PDB file of all heavy atoms in Angstrom:
ATOM      1  N   GLY A 188     223.665  34.791 169.471  1.00 94.00           N
ATOM      2  CA  GLY A 188     224.521  35.969 169.575  1.00 94.00           C
ATOM      3  C   GLY A 188     225.839  35.776 168.847  1.00 94.00           C
ATOM      4  O   GLY A 188     226.286  36.658 168.102  1.00 94.00           O
ATOM      5  N   ILE A 189     226.471  34.618 169.051  1.00 95.00           N
ATOM      6  CA  ILE A 189     227.744  34.346 168.384  1.00 95.00           C
ATOM      7  C   ILE A 189     227.533  34.192 166.884  1.00 95.00           C
ATOM      8  O   ILE A 189     228.365  34.625 166.073  1.00 95.00           O
ATOM      9  CB  ILE A 189     228.411  33.084 168.964  1.00 95.00           C
ATOM     10  CG1 ILE A 189     228.704  33.278 170.462  1.00 95.00           C
ATOM     11  CG2 ILE A 189     229.691  32.757 168.215  1.00 95.00           C
ATOM     12  CD1 ILE A 189     229.647  34.421 170.766  1.00 95.00           C
ATOM     13  N   ASP A 190     226.422  33.588 166.490  1.00 95.00           N
ATOM     14  CA  ASP A 190     226.124  33.440 165.063  1.00 95.00           C
ATOM     15  C   ASP A 190     226.010  34.810 164.400  1.00 95.00           C
ATOM     16  O   ASP A 190     226.559  35.037 163.317  1.00 95.00           O
ATOM     17  CB  ASP A 190     224.832  32.644 164.872  1.00 95.00           C
ATOM     18  CG  ASP A 190     224.483  32.449 163.407  1.00 95.00           C
ATOM     19  OD1 ASP A 190     225.168  31.666 162.724  1.00 95.00           O
ATOM     20  OD2 ASP A 190     223.519  33.093 162.930  1.00 95.00           O
ATOM     21  N   ALA A 191     225.288  35.722 165.064  1.00 95.00           N
ATOM     22  CA  ALA A 191     225.148  37.082 164.531  1.00 95.00           C
ATOM     23  C   ALA A 191     226.516  37.765 164.454  1.00 95.00           C
ATOM     24  O   ALA A 191     226.844  38.420 163.453  1.00 95.00           O
ATOM     25  CB  ALA A 191     224.194  37.894 165.397  1.00 95.00           C
ATOM     26  N   ALA A 192     227.318  37.605 165.503  1.00 96.00           N
ATOM     27  CA  ALA A 192     228.641  38.237 165.524  1.00 96.00           C
ATOM     28  C   ALA A 192     229.522  37.728 164.395  1.00 96.00           C
ATOM     29  O   ALA A 192     230.182  38.510 163.693  1.00 96.00           O
ATOM     30  CB  ALA A 192     229.316  37.981 166.869  1.00 96.00           C
ATOM     31  N   CYS A 193     229.540  36.412 164.182  1.00 96.00           N
ATOM     32  CA  CYS A 193     230.379  35.834 163.136  1.00 96.00           C
ATOM     33  C   CYS A 193     229.962  36.336 161.757  1.00 96.00           C
ATOM     34  O   CYS A 193     230.820  36.674 160.926  1.00 96.00           O
ATOM     35  CB  CYS A 193     230.306  34.310 163.190  1.00 96.00           C
ATOM     36  SG  CYS A 193     231.111  33.560 164.621  1.00 96.00           S
ATOM     37  N   ASN A 194     228.664  36.376 161.502  1.00 96.00           N
ATOM     38  CA  ASN A 194     228.187  36.824 160.189  1.00 96.00           C
ATOM     39  C   ASN A 194     228.455  38.307 159.963  1.00 96.00           C
ATOM     40  O   ASN A 194     228.816  38.717 158.852  1.00 96.00           O
ATOM     41  CB  ASN A 194     226.691  36.527 160.053  1.00 96.00           C
ATOM     42  CG  ASN A 194     226.410  35.058 159.800  1.00 96.00           C
ATOM     43  OD1 ASN A 194     226.906  34.472 158.846  1.00 96.00           O
ATOM     44  ND2 ASN A 194     225.614  34.447 160.664  1.00 96.00           N
ATOM     45  N   LEU A 195     228.304  39.122 160.995  1.00 97.00           N
ATOM     46  CA  LEU A 195     228.572  40.555 160.848  1.00 97.00           C
ATOM     47  C   LEU A 195     230.064  40.827 160.691  1.00 97.00           C
ATOM     48  O   LEU A 195     230.464  41.717 159.930  1.00 97.00           O
ATOM     49  CB  LEU A 195     228.015  41.315 162.057  1.00 97.00           C
ATOM     50  CG  LEU A 195     226.483  41.395 162.122  1.00 97.00           C
ATOM     51  CD1 LEU A 195     226.033  42.010 163.440  1.00 97.00           C
ATOM     52  CD2 LEU A 195     225.927  42.194 160.947  1.00 97.00           C
ATOM     53  N   LEU A 196     230.892  40.055 161.390  1.00 96.00           N
ATOM     54  CA  LEU A 196     232.338  40.206 161.236  1.00 96.00           C
ATOM     55  C   LEU A 196     232.772  39.862 159.818  1.00 96.00           C
ATOM     56  O   LEU A 196     233.661  40.510 159.251  1.00 96.00           O
ATOM     57  CB  LEU A 196     233.066  39.322 162.246  1.00 96.00           C
ATOM     58  CG  LEU A 196     233.055  39.826 163.701  1.00 96.00           C
ATOM     59  CD1 LEU A 196     233.525  38.735 164.642  1.00 96.00           C
ATOM     60  CD2 LEU A 196     233.929  41.064 163.844  1.00 96.00           C
ATOM     61  N   GLN A 197     232.153  38.851 159.238  1.00 95.00           N
ATOM     62  CA  GLN A 197     232.484  38.477 157.868  1.00 95.00           C
ATOM     63  C   GLN A 197     232.122  39.582 156.878  1.00 95.00           C
ATOM     64  O   GLN A 197     232.715  39.670 155.798  1.00 95.00           O
ATOM     65  CB  GLN A 197     231.763  37.183 157.484  1.00 95.00           C
ATOM     66  CG  GLN A 197     232.372  35.935 158.113  1.00 95.00           C
ATOM     67  CD  GLN A 197     231.735  34.671 157.603  1.00 95.00           C
ATOM     68  OE1 GLN A 197     230.584  34.664 157.172  1.00 95.00           O
ATOM     69  NE2 GLN A 197     232.487  33.583 157.641  1.00 95.00           N
ATOM     70  N   LEU A 198     231.159  40.407 157.256  1.00 95.00           N
ATOM     71  CA  LEU A 198     230.759  41.526 156.402  1.00 95.00           C
ATOM     72  C   LEU A 198     231.610  42.767 156.662  1.00 95.00           C
ATOM     73  O   LEU A 198     231.353  43.820 156.088  1.00 95.00           O
ATOM     74  CB  LEU A 198     229.276  41.846 156.629  1.00 95.00           C
ATOM     75  CG  LEU A 198     228.285  40.768 156.173  1.00 95.00           C
ATOM     76  CD1 LEU A 198     226.867  41.137 156.610  1.00 95.00           C
ATOM     77  CD2 LEU A 198     228.345  40.590 154.661  1.00 95.00           C
ATOM     78  N   GLY A 199     232.595  42.646 157.552  1.00 96.00           N
ATOM     79  CA  GLY A 199     233.489  43.771 157.824  1.00 96.00           C
ATOM     80  C   GLY A 199     232.992  44.730 158.878  1.00 96.00           C
ATOM     81  O   GLY A 199     233.526  45.837 159.011  1.00 96.00           O
ATOM     82  N   LYS A 200     231.981  44.325 159.670  1.00 96.00           N
ATOM     83  CA  LYS A 200     231.464  45.192 160.725  1.00 96.00           C
ATOM     84  C   LYS A 200     232.363  45.105 161.956  1.00 96.00           C
ATOM     85  O   LYS A 200     233.015  44.086 162.207  1.00 96.00           O
ATOM     86  CB  LYS A 200     230.033  44.786 161.103  1.00 96.00           C
ATOM     87  CG  LYS A 200     229.078  44.624 159.928  1.00 96.00           C
ATOM     88  CD  LYS A 200     228.793  45.920 159.230  1.00 96.00           C
ATOM     89  CE  LYS A 200     227.762  45.710 158.124  1.00 96.00           C
ATOM     90  NZ  LYS A 200     227.456  46.976 157.389  1.00 96.00           N
ATOM     91  N   ARG A 201     232.386  46.170 162.733  1.00 97.00           N
ATOM     92  CA  ARG A 201     233.063  46.134 164.026  1.00 97.00           C
ATOM     93  C   ARG A 201     232.034  45.700 165.061  1.00 97.00           C
ATOM     94  O   ARG A 201     230.986  46.335 165.211  1.00 97.00           O
ATOM     95  CB  ARG A 201     233.630  47.503 164.401  1.00 97.00           C
ATOM     96  CG  ARG A 201     234.486  47.446 165.678  1.00 97.00           C
ATOM     97  CD  ARG A 201     235.019  48.803 166.069  1.00 97.00           C
ATOM     98  NE  ARG A 201     233.958  49.667 166.561  1.00 97.00           N
ATOM     99  CZ  ARG A 201     234.189  50.792 167.252  1.00 97.00           C
ATOM    100  NH1 ARG A 201     235.408  51.178 167.487  1.00 97.00           N
ATOM    101  NH2 ARG A 201     233.175  51.541 167.659  1.00 97.00           N
ATOM    102  N   VAL A 202     232.313  44.616 165.767  1.00 97.00           N
ATOM    103  CA  VAL A 202     231.338  44.005 166.669  1.00 97.00           C
ATOM    104  C   VAL A 202     231.833  44.042 168.106  1.00 97.00           C
ATOM    105  O   VAL A 202     232.987  43.675 168.390  1.00 97.00           O
ATOM    106  CB  VAL A 202     231.053  42.547 166.259  1.00 97.00           C
ATOM    107  CG1 VAL A 202     230.108  41.886 167.265  1.00 97.00           C
ATOM    108  CG2 VAL A 202     230.444  42.491 164.856  1.00 97.00           C
ATOM    109  N   ILE A 203     230.959  44.488 169.007  1.00 97.00           N
ATOM    110  CA  ILE A 203     231.188  44.381 170.453  1.00 97.00           C
ATOM    111  C   ILE A 203     230.092  43.477 170.998  1.00 97.00           C
ATOM    112  O   ILE A 203     228.904  43.699 170.744  1.00 97.00           O
ATOM    113  CB  ILE A 203     231.133  45.759 171.141  1.00 97.00           C
ATOM    114  CG1 ILE A 203     232.253  46.656 170.607  1.00 97.00           C
ATOM    115  CG2 ILE A 203     231.243  45.602 172.657  1.00 97.00           C
ATOM    116  CD1 ILE A 203     232.202  48.079 171.159  1.00 97.00           C
ATOM    117  N   LEU A 204     230.469  42.438 171.730  1.00 96.00           N
ATOM    118  CA  LEU A 204     229.506  41.463 172.244  1.00 96.00           C
ATOM    119  C   LEU A 204     229.505  41.481 173.768  1.00 96.00           C
ATOM    120  O   LEU A 204     230.572  41.393 174.390  1.00 96.00           O
ATOM    121  CB  LEU A 204     229.843  40.064 171.723  1.00 96.00           C
ATOM    122  CG  LEU A 204     228.826  38.968 172.050  1.00 96.00           C
ATOM    123  CD1 LEU A 204     228.619  38.053 170.854  1.00 96.00           C
ATOM    124  CD2 LEU A 204     229.301  38.147 173.258  1.00 96.00           C
ATOM    125  N   LEU A 205     228.342  41.617 174.362  1.00 96.00           N
ATOM    126  CA  LEU A 205     228.176  41.605 175.817  1.00 96.00           C
ATOM    127  C   LEU A 205     227.542  40.279 176.227  1.00 96.00           C
ATOM    128  O   LEU A 205     226.504  39.891 175.691  1.00 96.00           O
ATOM    129  CB  LEU A 205     227.285  42.760 176.270  1.00 96.00           C
ATOM    130  CG  LEU A 205     227.730  44.171 175.867  1.00 96.00           C
ATOM    131  CD1 LEU A 205     226.734  45.203 176.380  1.00 96.00           C
ATOM    132  CD2 LEU A 205     229.127  44.485 176.392  1.00 96.00           C
ATOM    133  N   SER A 206     228.164  39.587 177.170  1.00 95.00           N
ATOM    134  CA  SER A 206     227.659  38.295 177.604  1.00 95.00           C
ATOM    135  C   SER A 206     227.770  38.172 179.111  1.00 95.00           C
ATOM    136  O   SER A 206     228.742  38.645 179.710  1.00 95.00           O
ATOM    137  CB  SER A 206     228.446  37.165 176.935  1.00 95.00           C
ATOM    138  OG  SER A 206     228.032  35.904 177.415  1.00 95.00           O
ATOM    139  N   SER A 207     226.788  37.549 179.729  1.00 91.00           N
ATOM    140  CA  SER A 207     226.817  37.355 181.186  1.00 91.00           C
ATOM    141  C   SER A 207     227.812  36.278 181.591  1.00 91.00           C
ATOM    142  O   SER A 207     228.203  36.184 182.753  1.00 91.00           O
ATOM    143  CB  SER A 207     225.417  36.980 181.695  1.00 91.00           C
ATOM    144  OG  SER A 207     224.971  35.781 181.070  1.00 91.00           O
TER     145      SER A 207
END
Side-chain angles (χ1 to χ4, degrees):
I189 299 299
D190 181 72
C193 290
N194 284 303
L195 289 173
L196 285 167
Q197 285 186 334
L198 293 173
K200 310 293 184 181
R201 187 181 71 164
V202 176
I203 297 175
L204 187 139
L205 304 179
S206 176
S207 59

